[in-house]
Amino acid sequence: MRASDKPSNKYRRAKMRNVLFTSGPNKITRGRLFRKHFDQRIDIKRVEISTPLWPKELDGLRIGHISDFHLGDLMPMDRALAAVQMLKDEEPDIVACTGDVVDLNALGAAPLFNAMANIKAPLGTMLVLGNHDELDCVSTISNMALNSGVSLLRDGRCTINYNGSKLHVAGIDWAKSQKKCSAKVDRVCRDETHLLLSHNPKAFQGAAQHNIPLTLSGHTHGGQLAVRDKPDANLAVAHKRSHGLYDMGDSRLFVTVGVGAWFPLRINCPAEVAILTIHS
Ligand SMILES: [Fe+2]
């Protein structure tokens, strides 16, 4: 169900890709493709991250990082809610969702935002939008997030007071190129930032220039198809950093492979929710 009456050219192209790689092949296989896809597991990935830039008072903070649901054909609501429940069971201090909550259409996503807010992490649930969230109707998605109590950062910042210390969080909207990502980081992160959320991992270059301790991203899906035991050898060839943890000086980037998919296949790249423990 769409929120917007007039599809943009980007929406039309995305719909075409969906027919070619997802709904079309599924019809040909009489639904077998989707059934096989839904049988695939979602892992919990636990990662310890250290950087001297991280504030000492926030040492040991646990971030629940979830991304790229792509709610739609390949992510029914019950599977999305199950992924959120996995995160909730881990009792993270803060939840970060790095976008692509929906695949093509904005309507119907409210229960997912409500579930993310209902994790009730002490520092809240933070969200940035991805390129797919912009395909149908950004204001519909934004209103759903805000009505649920999820904190949406659209080229914005916020400060969270926690146990007498402050966590400065920034989030940027989708930008395709490294140059455009860096321009957004320059604009939004003029003051001290501890945690940057950016759907596109290409923001990391700019984040490292600002000495931002930690950037969280999604978008790549880890390529979805990777060589066994070589997660960096994958289909996301447009991305130098497509899977896991990266360093630049004392700055760190974590790219999650996400919970969803844009075509119904994952090989050597299982879907995941991530629990990140950050040390100073
Ligand atoms: Fe995505």
Side-chain angles (χ1 to χ4, degrees):
M1 227 185 342
R2 297 191 54 227
S4 163
D5 295 336
K6 289 184 186 163
S8 64
N9 286 339
K10 275 187 183 171
Y11 181 93
R12 284 201 192 92
R13 282 199 297 272
K15 182 81 187 163
M16 186 91 78
R17 276 198 304 272
N18 175 277
V19 171
L20 278 176
F21 296 109
T22 300
S23 57
N26 187 55
K27 251 186 202 152
I28 291 166
T29 60
R30 296 183 182 185
R32 197 169 150 260
L33 208 54
F34 282 13
R35 284 197 297 277
K36 262 191 98 177
H37 181 72
F38 299 144
D39 281 346
Q40 291 183 313
R41 67 183 199 266
I42 298 174
D43 286 351
I44 291 193
K45 184 180 235 175
R46 295 173 207 281
V47 183
E48 304 276 328
I49 301 176
S50 295
T51 164
L53 297 175
W54 189 251
K56 283 191 174 49
E57 319 82 67
L58 295 169
D59 183 72
L61 192 86
R62 294 173 74 247
I63 303 174
H65 183 194
I66 195 161
S67 196
D68 294 82
F69 288 96
H70 288 262
L71 197 66
D73 283 349
L74 292 177
M75 179 61 76
M77 183 58 82
D78 59 347
R79 187 169 168 87
L81 295 179
V84 173
Q85 185 63 46
M86 286 171 72
L87 211 56
K88 186 174 184 176
D89 290 345
E90 294 290 318
E91 300 183 357
D93 297 313
I94 180 171
V95 174
C97 177
T98 46
D100 279 2
V101 175
V102 299
D103 189 53
L104 285 170
N105 304 331
L107 291 180
L112 180 51
F113 288 110
N114 292 338
M116 282 198 278
N118 279 332
I119 292 177
K120 300 223 181 290
L123 282 76
T125 297
M126 319 298 294
L127 167 76
V128 286
L129 300 182
N131 48 322
H132 279 255
D133 297 318
E134 294 180 354
L135 288 175
D136 182 10
C137 182
V138 174
S139 61
T140 300
I141 288 277
S142 303
N143 288 335
M144 281 179 187
L146 297 172
N147 290 338
S148 71
V150 166
S151 302
L152 174 61
L153 294 171
R154 300 202 62 203
D155 294 338
R157 306 165 35 86
C158 71
T159 298
I160 303 168
N161 293 301
Y162 182 60
N163 284 351
S165 54
K166 289 180 190 305
L167 178 71
H168 302 296
V169 187
I172 59 169
D173 271 359
W174 166 254
K176 192 171 183 183
S177 68
Q178 183 176 295
K179 196 173 162 193
K180 284 183 179 165
C181 286
S182 290
K184 280 181 181 285
V185 174
D186 285 346
R187 253 198 332 272
V188 176
C189 303
R190 272 192 221 118
D191 300 323
E192 188 183 24
T193 299
H194 300 129
L195 174 62
L196 171 66
L197 309 183
S198 166
H199 185 62
N200 193 341
K202 287 180 180 170
F204 186 46
Q205 186 87 28
Q209 277 162 10
H210 284 265
N211 277 330
I212 295 172
L214 181 61
T215 300
L216 301 182
S217 295
H219 182 57
T220 65
H221 303 193
Q224 291 191 206
L225 309 183
V227 177
R228 187 183 296 186
D229 301 325
K230 287 186 182 169
D232 273 324
N234 62 50
L235 273 193
V237 289
H239 288 269
K240 202 158 81 180
R241 302 175 185 92
S242 59
H243 179 288
L245 190 59
Y246 298 89
D247 291 359
M248 202 183 293
D250 286 332
S251 294
R252 307 287 178 260
L253 164 72
F254 180 76
V255 185
T256 177
V257 303
V259 286
W262 68 267
F263 59 93
L265 202 58
R266 273 189 180 269
I267 295 176
N268 300 320
C269 183
E272 69 183 19
V273 297
I275 295 291
L276 314 173
T277 307
I278 322 300
H279 299 286
S280 58

